[in-house]
Amino acid sequence: MDLLELARKTRENAYAPYSGFKVGAALKAADGAIFAGCNVENVAYPEGTCAEAGAISAMIAAGQHEIAEIVIVADSPTPITPCGGCRQKLAEFAAPEVPVILAGLDGETVRTTVGALLPGAFSTTHLDAH
Ligand code: THU
C-alpha cells in the first residue's frame, strides 16, 4: 500500500464528530518504515489532535525520529494544508527539503516541502545561540 492509499484508509478511522472533517496522514520514516494517523477530536475541543500528530506519535513510539516523506488527505475540493502547530511538529522531525503531499479524496494533489510550509522555523539553532 502506498502512502496516499494508507492516508486515505486511515482517514476513514478519524474520530471527528464535532467538525465532521476527517483527516488522514501517512509518513515514511528515514529507515523506510511507514506510520499513519488520523485526527481524534474531543468534546473539550482543544484536546483534539491532528492526523499529522498521530502519525508522528506512532513513528516516535516505534523508535524512529526522521521523516522522509508525508502525505496528508482530507475530503476537501482543494487539498488542505497543515495547521501551524503541525507545521512546527513536522519541522521537529523533518529536514526543510522533505516532501509534503497534500491531497483531497480525488483530484488535485499538491506537492510542497516542510521548509516551504514553515520558513524560518524556530529551531535548535535559536536555543544554541541563546
Ligand atoms: N486537522 C488535521 O487533522 N490536520 C490538519 O492538517 C488540519 C486540521 C483536523 C483538526 C480537526 O479535528 C479538524 O481537522 C478540523 O479542523
Side-chain angles (χ1 to χ4, degrees):
M1 192 184 300
D2 66 12
L3 285 183
L4 182 57
E5 195 184 342
L6 179 61
R8 287 199 171 120
K9 276 203 88 60
T10 306
R11 178 193 159 276
E12 291 169 13
N13 295 332
Y15 177 75
Y18 306 106
S19 72
F21 193 76
K22 294 185 167 192
V23 184
L27 68 79
K28 188 166 68 181
D31 73 342
I34 285 174
F35 304 97
C38 56
N39 53 333
V40 182
E41 296 184 347
N42 192 280
V43 65
Y45 295 173
E47 299 305 322
T49 52
C50 286
E52 297 89 328
I56 289 169
S57 289
M59 178 187 78
I60 297 300
Q64 302 299 314
H65 293 87
E66 202 181 331
I67 300 170
E69 182 182 357
I70 183 165
V71 177
I72 303 159
V73 173
D75 182 10
S76 58
T78 54
I80 60 158
T81 62
C83 76
C86 283
R87 292 175 195 218
Q88 186 72 43
K89 289 184 176 81
L90 289 172
E92 184 75 20
F93 302 109
E97 63 273 14
V98 164
V100 180
I101 291 92
L102 307 164
L105 288 190
D106 39 49
E108 193 187 353
T109 294
V110 169
R111 193 181 170 88
T112 183
T113 63
V114 170
L117 286 170
L118 190 61
F122 182 71
S123 72
T124 52
T125 57
H126 300 105
L127 290 181
D128 294 343
H130 154 77

